Amino acid sequence: MNVETLTAGQVMSRVLVVVKPEESPLMAWELMRRAGVHHLPVVDGRYVLGILTRERLAATWSGGPQEQSSRPVRALLGPGPVPRVRRDTPLSRVAARMLDAGCDAVPVVSGEGLVGLVTARDVLAAVAGRTESAEGPADESGEVMTGMFHLEPVLPHHNRQGTT
């Protein structure tokens, strides 16, 4: 496929790990660690409030686990609107939007909200000819939904002797 004709929908990540705005930085870090991702869309339902990056999370980290579990990730989001693209946005425009906004990930949205995420890595893979998706007419009509999931922390189980 020719890189000049690629769209956001053809290169975006469709299976996303997301975090709710009231979740803690501790939960966000655990989600990123377990899923092996560097970007967490912060969503209210399917509406994107912002993208939390691993770098932003690390830069705002202070105190111990107690402090990190008592504040919401909403407080870590930058001011201003989040740049967004649609499935049919040409990849060159996606890259320009990322450069203009100084970010390395943009959410892909449609009428129903978040449907994917394009990262700088996705753009590089496309330029290198390593796109895995071959989006067909079904995606254009919105029949393919983004799979979003939320990981819950597993707390240690204590037996009667108080050991784990």
Side-chain angles (χ1 to χ4, degrees), residues 18-30:
V18 300
V19 66
K20 296 175 184 171
E22 63 275 5
E23 291 287 3
S24 70
L26 195 59
M27 172 63 86
W29 183 260
E30 185 65 11

Side-chain angles (χ1 to χ4, degrees), residues 36-152:
V37 297
H38 295 269
H39 305 90
L40 276 183
V42 179
V43 297
D44 185 4
R46 291 181 71 91
Y47 179 76
V48 183
L49 301 174
I51 304 290
L52 183 61
T53 65
R54 187 176 282 195
E55 291 78 15
R56 175 85 176 149
L57 190 55
T60 59
W61 199 273
S62 64
Q66 186 64 34
E67 182 181 339
Q68 294 309 316
S69 62
S70 64
R71 62 184 178 141
V73 294
R74 170 184 277 139
L76 306 182
L77 299 177
V82 178
R84 303 160 202 276
V85 296
R86 298 213 171 269
R87 285 185 177 127
D88 61 353
T89 304
L91 188 59
S92 60
R93 194 174 311 153
V94 173
R97 194 148 304 152
M98 291 168 78
L99 284 170
D100 292 345
C103 64
D104 59 356
V106 292
V108 181
V109 297
S110 73
E112 67 265 13
L114 181 65
V115 295
L117 187 70
V118 177
T119 66
R121 183 180 180 95
D122 296 325
V123 174
L124 289 172
V127 171
R130 297 184 185 175
T131 56
E132 294 179 15
S133 79
E135 184 178 50
D139 284 338
E140 292 300 310
S141 66
E143 292 173 22
V144 176
M145 295 296 293
T146 301
M148 294 194 294
F149 60 96
H150 183 91
L151 298 173
E152 295 293 336

Side-chain angles (χ1 to χ4, degrees), residues 34 152-156:
R34 284 196 192 176
E152 295 293 336
V154 178
L155 300 175

Side-chain angles (χ1 to χ4, degrees), residues 156-164:
H157 178 71
H158 296 282
N159 63 22
R160 292 176 192 251
Q161 285 80 29
T163 62
T164 48

Side-chain angles (χ1 to χ4, degrees), residues 1-6:
M1 200 168 252
N2 188 344
V3 72
E4 286 86 23
T5 62
L6 287 175

